Amino acid sequence: SFWIFLFFLAGMVIPFQVVMLPLTSLLQTLKNITGIPFKDTYYGVILAYVGFGAPLSIFLFHGFIRSIPMDIEEAALIDGCSKAQVFFKIILRILKPIFVTLIVLNGMWIWNDYLLPSLMIGLDGDVKTLPLSVKNLVGTFDKEWGLILTSVLMAAVPILVMFFFAQKHIIKGMTSGAIK
């Protein structure tokens, strides 16, 4: 299990810019093998976000779970809980701050990302994410600043609302996994 953990941590060390070009050729190879198009579709973008987001999520979960004392689990088992009850009734409730932290961190990253969708979807297709749509409002010779700034504000509001509602859980989740 240690080697699997290190394998996932290696994903945090390798920058995205190193795997950009091999990723596009991998998507074409996957289409040739399976017949499922991953380029210019939401499926490919979702698959890439899961792959690139997993290392940070696993790292934070690992740190947070290691900070949970074993005494809590042992006490619940002595009180008559099954292992499933211990997990669903006790451990998952303790993990709530890290779940919220990861939802906000990954949500902000995915919501605002421009490079990965532009690489996998392209700028001219029918499938677009919000940052790609905002970019299409900027023309070569014409810039509608009122429209651009309004769309940027509308794109930022959901993330700001999510952050303000989850702020106390984010701080708790980030500090609990760091301190043992």
Side-chain angles (χ1 to χ4, degrees), residues 136-147:
N136 283 340
L137 295 174
V138 178
T140 305
F141 301 108
D142 186 28
K143 292 176 181 60
E144 297 279 339
W145 285 108
L147 190 60

Side-chain angles (χ1 to χ4, degrees), residues 1 7 23 57 60 66 79 89 92 99-100 112 127 180:
S1 68
F7 175 74
L23 180 66
S57 301
L60 289 178
R66 287 186 58 130
D79 287 343
K89 291 186 176 181
L92 276 182
F99 273 118
V100 173
N112 293 320
V127 178
K180 178 136 179 157

Side-chain angles (χ1 to χ4, degrees), residues 23-44:
L23 180 66
T24 56
S25 64
L26 175 70
L27 293 175
Q28 187 61 40
T29 305
L30 283 174
K31 181 181 179 186
N32 293 340
I33 293 171
T34 64
I36 302 170
F38 287 105
K39 192 160 174 52
D40 299 331
T41 63
Y42 288 122
Y43 306 116

Side-chain angles (χ1 to χ4, degrees), residues 10-139:
M12 288 177 39
V13 176
I14 300 168
F16 175 70
Q17 290 78 6
V18 172
V19 296
M20 279 186 345
L21 295 177
L23 180 66
T24 56
S25 64
L26 175 70
L27 293 175
Q28 187 61 40
T29 305
L30 283 174
K31 181 181 179 186
N32 293 340
I33 293 171
T34 64
I36 302 170
F38 287 105
K39 192 160 174 52
D40 299 331
T41 63
Y42 288 122
Y43 306 116
V45 176
I46 291 170
L47 184 67
Y49 278 131
V50 168
F52 289 119
L56 176 66
S57 301
I58 290 170
F59 178 70
L60 289 178
F61 265 116
H62 179 263
F64 195 87
I65 289 172
R66 287 186 58 130
S67 71
I68 298 172
M70 285 293 292
D71 298 341
I72 294 173
E73 185 177 342
E74 292 169 357
L77 289 171
I78 290 171
D79 287 343
C81 289
S82 67
K83 290 195 177 220
Q85 287 175 327
V86 170
F87 180 73
F88 287 109
K89 291 186 176 181
I90 296 170
I91 302 298
L92 276 182
R93 291 184 184 181
I94 294 172
L95 291 177
K96 182 180 174 186
I98 198 67
F99 273 118
V100 173
T101 301
L102 286 172
I103 287 170
V104 171
L105 287 176
N106 287 329
M108 287 182 0
W109 165 54
I110 291 168
W111 188 265
N112 293 320
D113 193 19
Y114 177 79
L115 184 59
L116 181 64
S118 66
L119 179 70
M120 296 186 69
I121 295 174
L123 299 174
D124 299 327
D126 293 334
V127 178
K128 287 193 180 22
T129 61
L130 196 59
L132 296 180
S133 297
V134 170
K135 196 276 182 208
N136 283 340
L137 295 174
V138 178

